[in-house]
Amino acid sequence: FKVNNEIITTIDIIKELNFLAALNPEILKLEKDKIFEVSKNSIIKEKIKIIEILKFTQKIELKDEHLKKLIKNSYMKINLKSEDEFLKHLSKYNLELDDFKNKIAVEALWNNIIYSKFNSKVKVDINKIKNEIINNKNNKIISFNLSEIIFNVGENQILDVKFEQIKKDINQNGFGNAAMIHSVSENANSGGKIGWINQNSINQKLNEKIKNLDIGDFTLPMVIPGGFLIIRLNDIKEVDKEINLDDEIKKQITIKTNQQLNQFSNLYYNKIKKDVKIEKL
């Protein structure tokens, strides 16, 4: 494939598959044509981001200190405890740490662009957050373990038909693989995993929908800026915890800011993709 002047070879797609499998081995359970499609779409998306990043900087690189923090965050997400463990894990998929560093650098620089462009448009109601925390301050923290699929519906597509396709893939291949196939969110490569999130961090409308789910179930598509959202409830827990109001407010501000920036990221990507020429060689 050719993305503007960037060439994507078969070797690139195989390497992308190895990268995706290192993050989410479930992808290897898909049929070969779907594995190829997911890997191809993932590398094309990365190439489009690189084209945009290079409009703002000359190199795809980060400072070592920042890179080390991001690497640690990455291997902790897949339940590894050290960089040595991570290196052994990558070697199983014929990957080296430098391969992963390049991926991390692209995502970090892309996120920098999104932040600089859209941070001023993020709206967070601090008083509302504070009141919600105070009203729920009973030393009981309910947390949901969630996954998501964010998808778009094309001009010639019908929402119900698209949703049926997604449900079919969820039933046949599991939610994580369906996320890799259909989701346009930043966490699609890791199977759409959001992880544990406090009930207080979720807006009331979505909260009600999640509370009505059984573990393993997922919502109907919900309209969000730039597409549609499906949420799956993986697990739920309730723990006793003394709440520090100031710390909790800061945490909620960060979560809600990131949620909005992720939506802006999706919108911006869809916008710049229209100006990129993708052709099969």
Side-chain angles (χ1 to χ4, degrees):
F1 291 86
K2 190 176 182 182
V3 182
N4 280 2
N5 294 320
E6 295 280 335
I7 302 297
I8 296 174
T9 67
T10 303
I11 293 173
D12 292 327
I13 293 177
I14 292 171
K15 202 165 189 177
E16 187 69 11
L17 167 59
N18 291 340
F19 170 71
L20 296 175
L23 293 177
N24 183 17
E26 291 294 308
I27 189 176
L28 299 175
K29 296 180 181 179
L30 290 173
E31 296 173 357
K32 287 185 178 180
D33 59 335
K34 286 192 175 181
I35 290 176
F36 174 82
E37 195 68 18
V38 169
S39 303
K40 180 200 75 175
N41 290 338
S42 179
I43 192 73
I44 286 175
K45 187 172 186 177
E46 182 182 73
K47 290 291 186 184
I48 292 173
K49 288 182 176 181
I50 289 172
I51 290 168
E52 187 68 12
I53 290 167
L54 292 176
K55 293 177 183 178
F56 299 89
T57 185
Q58 293 182 337
K59 292 182 180 180
I60 305 292
E61 62 180 11
L62 297 175
K63 293 181 179 179
D64 286 342
E65 187 177 342
H66 187 199
L67 198 54
K68 285 180 181 179
K69 288 181 181 178
L70 294 175
I71 289 170
K72 184 176 181 179
N73 289 340
S74 297
Y75 67 66
M76 288 182 70
K77 282 182 181 178
I78 54 175
N79 300 319
L80 298 177
K81 297 178 182 178
S82 68
E83 190 171 304
D84 285 340
E85 278 190 36
F86 190 46
L87 289 171
K88 291 177 183 177
H89 178 73
L90 292 177
S91 68
K92 295 177 185 177
Y93 300 93
N94 297 317
L95 295 172
E96 297 179 0
L97 189 59
D98 283 345
D99 299 317
F100 205 81
K101 285 179 179 179
N102 292 334
K103 295 284 186 184
I104 289 176
V106 170
E107 286 306 309
L109 292 170
W110 171 262
N111 289 337
N112 288 346
I113 292 173
I114 299 303
Y115 185 85
S116 64
K117 284 183 172 292
F118 299 106
N119 184 51
S120 62
K121 295 184 179 181
V122 171
K123 305 296 181 186
V124 177
D125 190 334
I126 297 176
N127 287 328
K128 184 178 179 182
I129 290 172
K130 184 176 180 179
N131 290 333
E132 286 176 348
I133 294 170
I134 291 172
N135 291 336
N136 292 311
K137 194 173 180 182
N138 57 4
N139 293 339
K140 292 285 186 181
I141 301 292
I142 297 175
S143 295
F144 302 121
N145 189 300
L146 305 174
S147 295
E148 69 178 2
I149 295 174
I150 296 176
F151 66 97
N152 299 318
V153 176
E155 293 180 4
N156 298 320
Q157 290 182 311
I158 299 171
L159 174 59
D160 289 344
V161 174
K162 178 74 173 180
F163 183 47
E164 287 301 317
Q165 292 173 345
I166 294 172
K167 283 200 297 183
K168 182 179 178 182
D169 278 318
I170 291 173
N171 292 332
Q172 290 182 349
N173 305 305
F175 193 92
N177 278 329
M180 297 187 83
I181 295 168
H182 297 284
S183 186
V184 297
S185 71
E186 296 302 312
N187 57 22
N189 288 348
S190 58
K193 294 176 184 175
I194 298 173
W196 288 103
I197 184 166
N198 289 351
Q199 187 179 35
N200 294 340
S201 305
I202 305 169
N203 68 57
Q204 187 175 354
K205 184 178 178 182
L206 180 56
N207 207 341
E208 290 300 319
K209 292 182 182 296
I210 293 172
K211 285 195 296 185
N212 290 326
L213 293 175
D214 292 325
I215 292 173
D217 288 346
F218 52 90
T219 65
L220 294 172
M222 296 168 279
V223 179
I224 61 170
F228 297 88
L229 169 68
I230 299 170
I231 289 286
R232 182 184 191 270
L233 178 61
N234 304 318
D235 202 354
I236 186 171
K237 65 182 179 182
E238 183 178 296
V239 295
D240 293 322
K241 186 176 180 182
E242 188 68 34
I243 297 173
N244 182 297
L245 185 59
D246 289 337
D247 289 346
E248 191 65 21
I249 289 172
K250 290 177 184 176
K251 190 187 297 182
Q252 300 307 323
I253 290 172
T254 299
I255 290 171
K256 293 181 185 297
T257 297
N258 288 338
Q259 288 171 345
Q260 292 181 48
L261 288 173
N262 286 337
Q263 292 175 353
F264 283 123
S265 175
N266 185 35
L267 289 167
Y268 188 65
Y269 174 80
N270 289 335
K271 178 184 175 182
I272 65 171
K273 184 180 178 182
K274 294 177 182 177
D275 297 324
V276 174
K277 186 177 181 181
I278 304 170
E279 55 185 327
K280 190 173 181 178
L281 300 177

